[in-house]
Amino acid sequence: MAYVPGGSKKELRKADRQLATVIDLNKCLGCQTCSVACKNLWTKRPGTEHMRWANVTTYPGKGYPRDYEKKGGGFRDGEPQPGKIPSVIDSGDNFQFNHNEVYYEGKGQSVRLHPVSNVTGKEPEWGYNWDEDQGGGQWPNPYFFYFARMCNHCTKPACLEACPTGAIFKREKDGIVLIDQDRCKGHRHCVEACPYKAVYFNPVAQKSEKCILCFPRIDKGIANACNRQCTGRVRAFGYLDDRDSQVHKLVAKWKVALPLHAEYGTGPNVFYVPPMGARGFGSDGEITDGSRIPLDVLEGLFGPEVRRVLDVLRTERAKMKAGQGSELMDILISKKWTDRFGGFTNDPLTQS
Amino acid sequence: MKAKRIDASNDALLDAASPVWAGAEGESVSMAPTPLMLVKEVSPFLALSQDHGAVTSLRAAALHNGGMLAIRLQWAAPKHDRIVDLDSFVDGAAVMFPVVRGAPAATMGARGKPTNAWYWKANTPAPYEVVAEGFASVQRLAGRSDLKAAAHYRDGQWNLVLGRSLGKADGLVKLEAGGSTKIAFAVWSGGNSERSGRKSFSGEFVDFEILK
């Protein structure tokens, strides 16, 4: 949906193609390499300290920004819903550490290295990944999984519909959603409208910012940094309509990758292979065939298709185990990393 | 509304507390929440607001000294002049004129019928000139004129003077002694998260005379 300057939202044009990401939650080990790759590239400027365009949190948990699922926005039955703007602390704060005191002022044995909230100047009470690894469930079946998120570069972006100044547009050639920093006036209707809270306000520039899907890399055939840097081969990337791409195969052919909170009505283009979870213990301490992760928890995130997807994953895994081979398992394993990126395999060091 | 000519320096005009303002015929302007049905097409999310329009009245006065036109706005509101968190907004005010006859105020003009506004925000010292042919085409123009602002907050009230040289046009409203145009006002209450179309607004343009 490209914006027609000076026009109305009725003149929005759809993107011709759509780039998408698939994240396999069975393999994500919460190492934050994606978060750091993004941070290093894009959010080290003044006013962006609190931003994590790419982030990984523990589920169950409050997520990032804190309680984003309770902050409204998106559409219900096609109607726009009011939303709230996360605070700096919700967005992870910007802890300051007493490095000098501990490392350079001779107090290494007497003073503890500790963070201070950049907002309150006191001991932090919340921050990015504050509830890491807490998870849910009761003994003997506690459970959690890592949940990597980023902007969904939606097919029907609520941020774009919300912007009264025409600063947000969706690139027609690949569906990347961008905020024109020259047009943005910092009104933050986009922040309220995004149900994933993937738009962040920069209080120094007084403009809103978001994941740009590393478009300068995409334009040179290099996969975006969070996807490319993932050490666990958790992420696939490419055009949804590229029948050779893993993204197409996982989303459209095997139908094992589902959008997060499709009920928000924005048509997200990041898809997740739901986690099968560890096998649970029964009442006598025996190992059962059931997952520790309750089905309704996963359905709450990825919708009613989860049960079918988990059945497909179990069936294909059993085939693999039995030596019969499985195209799906081969994709999810990805023995060659280049298979993951739908042709966006140029080297960032030699191409950029 | 009328802008009388008086013998005063630009500095005196730009001082809301200067005695020169005693000679101005101030008017009380009643302000109302902007009807958000008007912006629904531009931003259905913006149009979800239900409690904007915290400021319900404004005192407006105008003077000129033959060189500069100054407009003084005074309104009572809690002060919000800093962005202290990602969800905080600052106070603001604007004065709007039609660039051509018949430009509608309620929609900030229309295609081919531009409006010109002077826009001031409490955390930004320099005001902007704004030209718009409707909500979706608001352009901030820096350096297009010598627009100045002076604001101080005292006893629970903002006192703001906006001033610009008479005579120049260059795509903006032409203001000259002996001429007439129309005028409208807007105020944003930062503490009430007001920004963009969420604001108090004086309604359709009223006549504005710049006396000789």
Side-chain angles (χ1 to χ4, degrees), chain A residues 26 138-144 275-283 285-294 310 314 317-318 321:
Chain A
N26 293 284
Q138 294 295 316
W139 186 89
N141 288 313
Y143 68 93
F144 72 77
M276 301 167 80
R279 289 160 71 184
F281 290 105
S283 50
E286 78 282 13
I287 297 173
T288 69
D289 286 336
S291 168
R292 289 197 201 178
I293 306 174
L310 292 177
R314 282 191 205 103
R317 190 163 70 172
K321 225 173 169 178

Side-chain angles (χ1 to χ4, degrees), chain A residues 53-110:
Chain A
W53 295 352
N55 57 80
V56 186
T57 52
T58 301
Y59 198 89
K62 290 182 186 297
Y64 176 83
R66 175 171 51 177
D67 286 329
Y68 75 93
E69 291 161 297
K70 296 177 183 169
K71 292 196 186 295
F75 305 91
R76 192 180 298 150
D77 302 325
E79 289 300 312
Q81 300 298 308
K84 293 195 178 95
I85 301 172
S87 67
V88 173
I89 291 177
D90 289 337
S91 306
D93 209 334
N94 170 26
F95 294 169
Q96 304 298 305
F97 288 83
N98 55 334
H99 290 119
N100 275 340
E101 191 179 29
V102 172
Y103 293 136
Y104 304 113
E105 294 172 9
K107 295 183 190 164
Q109 299 300 314
S110 58

Side-chain angles (χ1 to χ4, degrees), chain A residues 3 6-10 50 74-75 80-82 85-88 91 158 161-165 183 185 187-189 192-193 201 203 206, chain B residues 40-46 48 83-90 111 119 121 123-124 133 135-140 193 195-198:
Chain A
Y3 183 74
S8 78
K9 292 272 151 75
K10 289 175 185 161
H50 60 282
F75 305 91
Q81 300 298 308
I85 301 172
S87 67
V88 173
S91 306
E161 292 213 12
C163 179
T165 53
R183 289 186 75 106
K185 295 188 171 74
H187 293 321
R188 287 162 268 173
H189 297 298
E192 289 177 345
F201 181 63
Q206 295 188 45
Chain B
K40 205 168 178 185
E41 196 176 286
V42 176
S43 173
F45 285 91
L46 194 168
L48 293 172
I83 290 179
V84 294
D85 206 332
L86 305 180
D87 54 356
S88 57
F89 294 87
V90 296
R111 206 167 279 190
Y119 177 53
K121 265 173 95 172
N123 66 340
T124 313
E133 296 188 6
F135 294 126
S137 66
V138 177
Q139 275 190 293
R140 289 182 187 175
S193 298
R195 75 282 195 191
S196 69
R198 293 184 188 165

